[in-house]
Amino acid sequence: MTWIDLGNPVPRQHPERYELIQWDVGEIFTLPALSEELDWPFSKVLNARISQREFGILDDKQLGTFLWNACRTRAIAVSELGFDLEHRASPSAGAIHPIHIVIKRPGDGRWWLYQPKTHEMAELKNVQSKLSPLYERSLSVLEGNNATRILFLAETGKTLGKYQDGCSLIWRDAGALLAVMAFVAAAQGLNFCPLGITGEPWASNLAEKGKLAGVGLALLGSPLGD
């Protein structure tokens, strides 16, 4: 067995300001406002959560409700790190939330960046050829042609600007976000399945070297027959 020691994260005595990536985006798609509350008792959600491997196509309302509950920004606070701190449903080291949600919907060759502050999706320009091999790789793991694919894309410099040896914090952020998504999907009666692949080496090619890293992929869809 090989265990990779990522060290013990500690806050830097003097945090390093970080300049956020400026995305090249095209069309903006505003997701539907939340119109469906999640009213299952939490005990029912816990018992219902299970990884599913068959997927129907999500409509805009289902996807919007999922992202609103699992990923949206609920509050912000000014920081000295060069970007806002955020409160979302999932915990994040230092309230930094370095993980972007990038979405590919079935029947659409484009990849979309979820904007958690505005509840919108922005088309990422010039990424289809870079992420096409990742899409094919994900199909080889779990076909799911009708699934919505969710890439976890970490902007690592956000966390590493505050924490020395902070890589394990980013992975823990990814795990926490994955769990929240799984519970939200269960509460909506949707099918959800994490994949073992990270998105590398393709995800990191979307920006300058060292700026981004793929830290997970998941599939989401409606139950078959819906």
Side-chain angles (χ1 to χ4, degrees), residues 6-13 159-169:
L6 298 179
N8 288 305
V10 292
R12 295 184 185 277
Q13 186 173 0
T159 299
L160 300 182
K162 180 173 181 179
Y163 294 100
Q164 181 178 327
D165 296 325
C167 291
S168 72
L169 296 176

Side-chain angles (χ1 to χ4, degrees), residues 51-53 55 66 99-105 111-112 130-144 147-154 170-171 173-175 177-179 181-182 191-204 206 213-220:
S51 294
Q52 302 280 358
R53 291 170 176 80
F55 308 92
F66 175 81
I99 298 173
H100 298 286
I101 298 303
V102 178
I103 293 169
K104 185 184 183 307
R105 306 184 75 178
W111 293 75
W112 298 79
K130 296 177 180 178
L131 293 181
S132 178
L134 170 58
Y135 175 68
E136 295 300 325
R137 178 74 178 99
S138 72
L139 288 173
S140 71
V141 176
L142 183 57
E143 187 169 344
T148 294
R149 281 168 162 74
I150 303 172
L151 170 63
F152 291 20
L153 189 59
I170 297 170
W171 286 110
D173 270 26
L177 179 56
L178 196 67
M181 284 185 170
N191 290 357
F192 182 81
C193 185
L195 298 187
I197 58 178
T198 64
E200 287 302 316
W202 307 284
S204 57
L206 300 185
V215 290
L217 203 76
L219 272 58
L220 176 72

